Amino acid sequence: MAADASWTFDPGALALIGLATAAYVPRWRRVRVKHGPRAAPVWRLLVFTGGLLTLVAALISPIDRLGEQAFAMHMVQHILLLDLAPILLILGLTKVILRPATKRLQRLERAAGPLGHPAAAVVLYVAVMWVWHIPALYDAALEHPTVHVLEHTFFMTAGVLYWWHLMSPIRSRTRLTGMGPIVYMLSTKLLVGILGIAITFAPDALYAFYKDQPPIWGLDPGDDQALAGAIMALEQSIVMGIALAWLFIRALAESESDEQRAERYA
């Protein structure tokens, strides 16, 4: 059967992306004019735009429609929402760009209490991946648009919270230090990677929804499921490796900056 690769143009997704664009671009321009290129470099605008385009790919492009026909494409959609889009959107921010919201974010963190701790982000990230892959919930999300929107909301929220603790441009009272970022990454990515491996090597197709779909691209439900699980496990490994390298480079840069600051004060 030929795959339906049409665009969906979901109004809710279009509104979300439009609001994010309208909030970020004028703020970036004002900061650049007032504080100079270092406060709002062009590459920040480019990566934020990349995050918005990632949302377009996940929620509006043919990936969304193909996700209803192939488990592998639905997995790609989830990866974009959980990891790639949050990473790019957060990388697009600086302390100065965020300055109008900094105090509100800090008050929100204090009000959240234990829920604002990085450990809570790990639990939420892992729980979202495991719980939403329970067959009954996964099939419900594919069969009912409202549940599908709720699923995507959970994925995006968990992704933003998780990556915020690692990449936030503003200092948090629960900032990860020392070996903290490595433990944070390893614990999460290994637990989710195990889920990907379990899906890959499951003896039977787990999701009734895909069993009832006409196969596309010559993939039967078992092959489609194995491919989806492999995509999940591989993506977790690649993202973990890149993120750990980035964290190492950032730690070296911060250490050098601290040494230079100490020398100036001395």
Side-chain angles (χ1 to χ4, degrees), residues 207-223:
Y207 304 105
F209 182 89
Y210 289 117
K211 290 179 185 178
D212 298 333
Q213 298 301 309
I216 61 172
W217 303 325
L219 292 172
D220 63 40
D223 293 338

Side-chain angles (χ1 to χ4, degrees), residues 122-137:
V122 170
V123 172
L124 178 63
Y125 187 100
V126 174
V128 162
M129 286 297 282
W130 278 83
V131 170
W132 280 104
H133 283 88
I134 293 172
L137 272 179

Side-chain angles (χ1 to χ4, degrees), residues 106-242:
Q106 291 172 339
R107 286 197 298 268
L108 180 62
E109 182 190 34
R110 288 193 295 270
L115 295 178
H117 194 276
V122 170
V123 172
L124 178 63
Y125 187 100
V126 174
V128 162
M129 286 297 282
W130 278 83
V131 170
W132 280 104
H133 283 88
I134 293 172
L137 272 179
Y138 203 92
D139 287 335
L142 289 164
E143 293 168 359
H144 305 289
T146 303
V147 181
H148 205 182
V149 170
L150 182 64
E151 178 193 47
H152 287 173
T153 302
F154 268 96
F155 272 85
M156 191 69 189
T157 302
V160 169
L161 183 61
Y162 178 81
W163 291 105
W164 183 263
H165 283 292
L166 278 175
M167 306 169 65
S168 171
I170 59 177
R171 286 190 175 271
S172 165
R173 63 185 179 86
T174 56
R175 184 179 177 86
L176 293 164
T177 57
M179 292 293 290
I182 296 174
V183 174
Y184 186 83
M185 286 290 302
L186 287 175
S187 61
T188 311
K189 297 304 179 182
L190 287 175
L191 288 171
V192 176
I194 289 170
L195 174 62
I197 293 170
I199 292 173
T200 302
F201 295 104
D204 300 307
L206 299 171
Y207 304 105
F209 182 89
Y210 289 117
K211 290 179 185 178
D212 298 333
Q213 298 301 309
I216 61 172
W217 303 325
L219 292 172
D220 63 40
D223 293 338
D224 183 26
Q225 179 172 285
L227 177 59
I231 289 171
M232 178 193 286
L234 182 62
E235 183 268 347
Q236 293 293 305
S237 299
I238 292 173
V239 168
M240 180 174 66
I242 294 173

